Structure formats: C-alpha cells, structure tokens
Amino acid sequence: MKDYRGNTSVAYQMEPQPKQTAQTKRQPQTGFPAGEKLLYLASLILCVALASGVLSRYAEAAEINLKLQQVERRAVAVEEANQAYRERIHALKSGERIRRFAEENGMIRMEKQSPDNSKTGKQNPAHDDGRG
C-alpha cells in the first residue's frame, strides 16, 4: 500500500480485515456469589441502623433544645413578674402612701409637741387621763 501522507483527495481501497477464527465462548454471567451478596446486605443493614441511630439522637437533641427554650421563656416571664412585684412592694412600703391611706380612712394627725411646751405647763392631751 502506498503512503498517501494525509492526502484525502486520492481514493484508495480498504484492506480486508483478517477474520478471527478462534472465538472464545462466553460464559453466562451468573451475578455475585452468595457470600458477597450477604456481605452487601449486612453492610446495607448496618448503614441503615447507624443512620437511624444518628437521626434519632438528632431528633432527641432538637426536642430537648425546644424544651430548654420554653423553660428559658418561662423563666424570663417569671423574672419580669417578680420585678413588677418588687416595684409594687416598694411602692406599698412608701411612708407617704401609708400616711395618705391612713388619712383617707379616718386617721387624725396630731402635731408633735416640742420639749418647750412641757416647761410652760401645757400637757399633752394624749397623756391626759384625768388623774390630775
């Protein structure tokens, strides 16, 4: 055969391919052996069990986290209520409020006597029991 050196304008005839006379028989493929199938099945079961274990732990952690957030919200609400009660107690302990409440309910306020009144002979009407 001539060497055409990449010239595609020249037509040449194809050389016939030699035929293979010795063909090997193919054995039908039977699949994986039983031991290998069992190994794959066992590894699949193990992977599924591990994945379900991990997912169940994740679900438990999420549930605990949710409960923790609810408890924290309740604690904040209780702390706010406690602070409101502290403010109310402080307001109720106020001397001015107690005095105003007593005057509204009939308390008569007495003026304090100075020590000079006892020298002049005036007696405190609260201590006057009529004995002289």
Side-chain angles (χ1 to χ4, degrees), residues 51-62:
S52 64
V54 168
L55 288 176
S56 67
R57 291 291 185 175
Y58 181 76
E60 288 174 5

Side-chain angles (χ1 to χ4, degrees), residues 5-108:
R5 296 186 184 161
N7 188 354
T8 58
S9 64
V10 177
Y12 63 93
Q13 202 170 20
M14 298 285 286
E15 294 179 5
Q17 296 284 332
K19 291 185 179 181
Q20 293 179 351
T21 56
Q23 290 184 352
T24 58
K25 286 188 175 182
R26 289 187 181 176
Q27 294 180 353
Q29 195 169 12
T30 58
F32 295 115
E36 203 169 330
K37 286 180 183 178
L38 287 175
L39 180 66
Y40 289 144
L41 181 63
S43 63
L44 180 67
I45 290 172
L46 180 67
C47 288
V48 168
L50 287 174
S52 64
V54 168
L55 288 176
S56 67
R57 291 291 185 175
Y58 181 76
E60 288 174 5
E63 185 178 341
I64 290 171
N65 191 20
L66 180 66
K67 287 180 182 178
L68 179 65
Q69 288 176 354
Q70 289 173 348
V71 167
E72 286 176 350
R73 274 187 249 136
R74 275 191 241 134
V76 167
V78 166
E79 186 60 37
E80 289 174 358
N82 284 345
Q83 183 61 33
Y85 289 138
R86 282 187 208 109
E87 291 173 3
R88 174 109 172 138
I89 288 170
H90 181 69
L92 290 174
K93 283 184 176 180
S94 167
E96 181 61 33
R97 192 204 71 76
I98 293 171
R99 189 175 302 112
R100 198 175 38 220
F101 178 80
E103 287 173 355
E104 288 172 0
N105 289 315
M107 180 186 92
I108 299 172

Side-chain angles (χ1 to χ4, degrees), residues 111-125:
E111 297 297 324
K112 291 183 182 178
Q113 285 188 342
S114 64
D116 294 338
N117 288 347
S118 62
K119 291 178 184 176
T120 60
K122 292 186 180 178
Q123 291 185 348
N124 187 351

